[in-house]
Every structure is written in C-alpha cells, then in structure tokens.
Amino acid sequence: MTRSISRRTLLALMGGAGAAATLGACAGPGSTAPKGGEGAAPATGDAKGEVSFAHWRAEDKAAFDKLIEEFQAKFPDITVEQDISPSNDYQTQALNRLKGGSAGDVFPTFRGAQFQQFVKAGVYTDLSNEDFVANYNPAMLEAGKSDGKQYGLPYQVVLPMPIANKSLLSSAGVDAPPETWDGFLDMCDKLKSKGVVPLAWPGNAPGDAGQLFNTMVMNEQPSDDACAQIEAGTMKTTDEWFVGMLKKYAELRPYFQPNAVGTVVEPLQQLFVSEKAALLCTGSYHISAVRSLGAKFDLELVPPITVNSNPKYLGSYNATFILGINAASKVQPAAVEWLRFLSDKQYAGEYANATVQNVSVAGVEYTNPDLKALAPWLEKTLMLAPRFQFNDLDIRSAVEGSCIAVVGGTDPAEAAAKAQKVIDQRI
C-alpha cells in the first residue's frame, strides 16, 4: 500500500522515539525440535554452523564484515559468510539458488515484486512470533508482511532521490533544492552554463535508472496507487497524465551526460566525485560509495518537483532490503541468531552509520555527518516509492523502459504506446 510517511514515524526512524524491545534469549541445546517446512516458523535447536548471508549490497561488505566479526565473538559456534551478487543477478538468479538451500540461509529481497515472488515460492519462513520483530518501527514492517504474516524485516530506509554536490549548486547560485519544475530546469541551465553535467543518470542500469521514476511520477499521477492501477489495467501508460510525465523526461534530455541510456553507475560515480557532474540521479544508498571514492563536498538531495505549484510530495522514500530466514536452510537456529543480532539497535546503528543508510530498527542513534545533514528530509512529506507497486517485473520494466526510451530520443506518445502494448499482453 502506498502512503506518505508521517512525521512521527520519520522522527522515530531517526532514533528520537520508540523503544525497542529487549533482545530475547538465544536458542540453545534442549530447545524445541526443528519445525521446518515452507512458510513455517524457523526451526529451533542448537545455534551452530555456517550461515550463508546472501545479498546484493557489495558496497556494504566492509560494514557487514565488521558486524560478522562482532557476532562471531559472541557466538563462537557460528560463522557467517557473505554471498554477494550484483543486484541485477540477484533479482534474476537468487530465487533458484535459495530454493535449493545451497546459499542464503539469511537473505533480503527488494520491496514489491521480488518480495511477493519469494513469499509465493515458499522461500521465507514466518517470523511473526520472533521476539526481535518488536525491535522495528511498526510502520516500517508492512513491506515485509503478506497475508497477515511477517515474513521479512525491511531493514533499510532509503531515500531514492538524486544526490547533489552542494558546492556546485552554490557556485551556480542555487542555495536550496528547487520546489517547482521551472526552478528545477533553471537549476539545470545554470549548472550547464558552468560547464558541468547537471544530471548524471545511469540509463543502462535499469535498477538504478528507475529510481528517478519515483520522483518524476509522484506529483503527476492522479492517485497514489497509479502504478498498481497500471498493472491492474485500470490506468494506462497512454493516459494523458503519464504521457505528460514522459514529456518532462524529454525536457531533461539536454541535461543528462552524453549517451545517458548507455551508461552504467560506476563511471557516473567517478564523474560525480570528480565534480564534473552536479547530481547523481540514483539515491541515498550511493552516498557511502561516493564517499569511499573520495567525495569531500557536502551533499544534498534534489528531487525533481514536476509541478509549479502545490506539490503533494517533496520527495520519496523506500523501506527495503527485506531480511528473512530461508525455509530450505539447514542451520535455521544459527540464521535466526544472525538476524536477531542485526535487529539489535546497537548493531543496526553500526550498520547505518557505516553505510550511510537509515534503518527501520527503532531507537538507533545516528552519528554519521551525512545522515545528520539529510535528517531534515525525514520531516518532509515523502511518498513511499511508487515503482515498487509493480509486482510484475515485465510490466515495471516496460513502464520504466518508456522513460529510458524517451531520454534516448523516442517520442513520448510512441514510448507510452509501446509500453502499453507490453502491459496489455501481460494482463
């Protein structure tokens, strides 16, 4: 369900409210016998063995390595090994790997289509009765529920909005993020006149390219569930509002880097860090990466507001990286202990500050300067990322592909019609 995030919830995410439950006792010898079975609660028993932690966050490897070291000091009978895949590979291959139980005793999914796919495939166990679920902010847990059961724990709170170099903005006379479409285009003009690329956008990395869609659509759609309605067939990409949004993508063409639809993320991060591009059009999840590449300048979030008055939303957020226990795992008691450890506010805080990600665990203290600088965004009216309303990845790909095609030069109406043709075949 799409909804705006409340001020109280966001403040709670910043550690200002909400008491986390105390950690429960560890499972150990003599506890109940393994339960097993798809969709059942994780087995209990001796917490020992090698836990495979499968995920796609290569940029978080060092942070998890440190947490694993602390965890293994507390649990000497358990080892944790990271199994990291590129995000696109994870989306296409992880399900089969996890179903076989060869990897991913603990694993995450993306919110939306992938989460639902894994639930239907019986890969998740049911965490509803695990005591550490109470450590999370209740408002953030919805994305990990299905049919009333808590299958996953959304761990990250991501702000999928372009991140900007504040120094370059200031040099162009832009002192605050524009809150109108005309203001956004004017900012791009000013940056371009300074000889920098206004918008670095990875059009050849669909997972990252689609993040811009969240903010491009949030003030254009006639209702908050428009993406779900496109998938249901009650709205179409050929509708006037959607074509109008695509026309605004076309207006941005002069401001992207050359060959925008053929560019992946890594060279754009270098372009951004070297101050040759002002905005990196992905999201807060790349702040840690650009810092590690040497970015020294202050950062800001600058989402495109596509209207000139009364915007409903000033930005977007997402609750994702939905952690769960694999039903096929042979070391479920040990896997539960690793997930319990990650759900402790102390260790969740270490992860958050090391990776520059807000987390959904309540009571976390944020000390990272970037997280502190971006804190005001968490008090604004944000929309839960609409692109994850799509549960059919082919439909999402068609919709987001129409945006990429327009940036590449295709007429907006033509791109919309082509996307709708794919959608009609899927409905």
Side-chain angles (χ1 to χ4, degrees), residues 185 188-189 192 197-199 249-257:
L185 296 178
C188 289
D189 276 330
K192 191 172 183 178
V197 173
L199 308 174
Y249 266 95
E251 290 185 70
L252 295 179
R253 286 173 186 156
Y255 307 118
F256 293 120
Q257 79 281 3

Side-chain angles (χ1 to χ4, degrees), residues 218-258:
M218 66 185 182
N219 287 309
E220 295 292 313
Q221 57 191 0
S223 67
D224 282 357
D225 63 347
C227 291
Q229 289 207 47
I230 288 174
E231 184 167 295
T234 53
M235 287 189 183
K236 296 181 180 296
T237 56
T238 51
D239 290 348
E240 183 177 353
W241 70 269
F242 191 90
V243 176
M245 181 202 66
L246 289 181
K247 290 179 179 177
K248 290 178 177 173
Y249 266 95
E251 290 185 70
L252 295 179
R253 286 173 186 156
Y255 307 118
F256 293 120
Q257 79 281 3

Side-chain angles (χ1 to χ4, degrees), residues 184-197:
F184 191 83
L185 296 178
D186 181 62
M187 175 195 70
C188 289
D189 276 330
K190 290 175 177 175
L191 290 167
K192 191 172 183 178
S193 70
K194 290 287 183 180
V196 299
V197 173

Side-chain angles (χ1 to χ4, degrees), residues 165-179 182-196 278-279 302:
N165 179 331
K166 286 186 71 173
S167 297
L168 289 179
L169 293 184
S170 295
S171 70
V174 180
D175 297 324
E179 294 191 358
D182 287 346
F184 191 83
L185 296 178
D186 181 62
M187 175 195 70
C188 289
D189 276 330
K190 290 175 177 175
L191 290 167
K192 191 172 183 178
S193 70
K194 290 287 183 180
V196 299
L279 276 69
V302 183

Side-chain angles (χ1 to χ4, degrees), residues 42 105-107 123-125 127 151 323-327 332 335-336 339:
D105 299 299
V106 177
F107 67 96
V123 176
Y124 274 107
T125 57
L127 301 178
Y151 287 106
L323 293 170
I325 304 294
N326 190 342
Q332 288 184 2
V336 166
L339 187 52

Side-chain angles (χ1 to χ4, degrees), residues 330-350:
K330 295 178 175 59
V331 291
Q332 288 184 2
V336 166
E337 291 310 321
W338 173 234
L339 187 52
R340 186 196 309 279
F341 179 87
L342 293 176
S343 303
D344 183 319
K345 65 180 180 182
Q346 173 185 342
Y347 304 114
E350 289 183 20

